[in-house]
Amino acid sequence: MIKSRICDIKYPVFQGGMAWVADANLAAAVSEAGGLGIIAAMNMSGELLREEIKKLRAVTDKPFGVNVMLMSPFAAEVAEVVVEERVPVVTTGAGNPVTYMKKWLAAGVKVIPVVASVALAQMVERRGATAVVAEGGESGGHIGEANTMPLVPQVADAVDIPVIAAGGIADGRGLAAAIMLGAEGVQMGTRFLVAKECTVHENYKRKVLKAGDIGTMVSGRRAGHPVRALKTPFARAYAELEKDLSVTDEQIAAFGAGALKKAVVDGDEEGGSFLCGSVAGLVTKEQTCKEIIEDVVSGAEKLLSSASRRLV
Ligand code: TUI
């Protein structure tokens, strides 16, 4: 077993709160398998989130989380539902969660912000965060400026609360490496994207499974919201538009509107934005959440228990 101080879960493996992807079905399967399943509230209304939480609770009584995407217009009402529904763990992304932390902590909710910098990690620790997810730019979706290898040890040095590493982790080697960097667990998105219980369109899974080491790219820097996605004609066209100064920010925003839903729900290969981590090349088969978690944990255990043999 790998020692950790995170929540009441058997294995120190979180499933990323992937917008449009991380529903009750996926989160329940991860939690049932001993990890921490997380429902992505993304742009849901409070009531829609409540329904997802009910669906998850109908399947599992294990701890789970809700990810609050702080740029969502519904972030405040979703934050209320987290309290009303007594959600065990909340993670946050794409912003600074301090406005909501006091309320969540007072209600007994464990608060684990996803941070992309040391400064935000320290700020949320001062406000009582239970732990932090330190997420590097290898992640899929909206990313910060730092990469996982340098970010995780710097965050681990800067805070006393547990650190969970995210970005570029998909197997036992990633979990073992994260522990070496000072983390107590990992969060994975891309590997769970192709889980059997994940209901994304088949085209999405097929593209992730096919992608290799240089299969992703980052766009969105012009608007200040860099996003990593599979290198598709859509992602390349978006990046080209960004370079063209005769194209306005509004035109770019209109080009990208609804693109993630098109990828996840419709499998739209032309107009979809297939958010994906740079670890896609390591993700080569569809497995159940249980198989994924057990593979990652047993892989890390083997590596960690034999690591001292490398010393002479
Ligand atoms: O949030 C994520 N990943 C996401 S959110 C998302 S939806 C979206 N799509 C397009 C643009 C923006 C959002 C898709 N994937 N991961 C956690 C994360 N948080 N990554 C980076 C950050 C972050 C960035 C800046 C957190 C805080 C921050 O600034 C803090 C401040 O002080 O404002």
Side-chain angles (χ1 to χ4, degrees), residues 19 69 71 92-96 114 116 120 135 140-144 225 227 275:
M69 209 280 277
M71 280 167 41
T92 62
N96 185 330
V114 179
L120 189 56
E135 187 188 271
H142 177 46
I143 54 174
H225 301 300
V227 164
L275 301 187

Side-chain angles (χ1 to χ4, degrees), residues 139-151:
S139 298
H142 177 46
I143 54 174
E145 295 297 328
N147 288 322
T148 303
M149 183 87 96
L151 179 65

Side-chain angles (χ1 to χ4, degrees), residues 1-2 4 6-15 26-37 60-64 186 192 197 289-294 297:
M1 282 297 271
I2 294 170
S4 76
I6 29 180
C7 315
D8 304 314
I9 52 176
K10 188 169 172 197
Y11 302 120
V13 177
F14 289 17
Q15 159 249 311
L26 179 62
V30 171
S31 288
E32 262 304 292
L36 188 75
T60 183
D61 57 3
K62 301 270 191 333
F64 67 97
V186 292
F192 286 120
E197 296 91 340
C289 291
K290 186 166 185 289
E291 287 166 342
I292 292 172
I293 292 173
E294 287 174 357
V297 172

Side-chain angles (χ1 to χ4, degrees), residues 118 132 134 151-161 163 181-183:
V118 168
V132 286
L151 179 65
V152 172
Q154 290 180 85
V155 171
D157 283 347
V159 300
D160 293 322
I161 51 180
V163 177
L181 294 175

Side-chain angles (χ1 to χ4, degrees), residues 48-68:
L48 272 179
L49 173 63
R50 210 188 295 279
E51 280 173 31
E52 283 303 302
I53 293 170
K54 287 209 173 90
K55 276 190 221 161
L56 177 140
R57 283 190 161 132
V59 182
T60 183
D61 57 3
K62 301 270 191 333
F64 67 97
V66 165
N67 176 263
V68 178

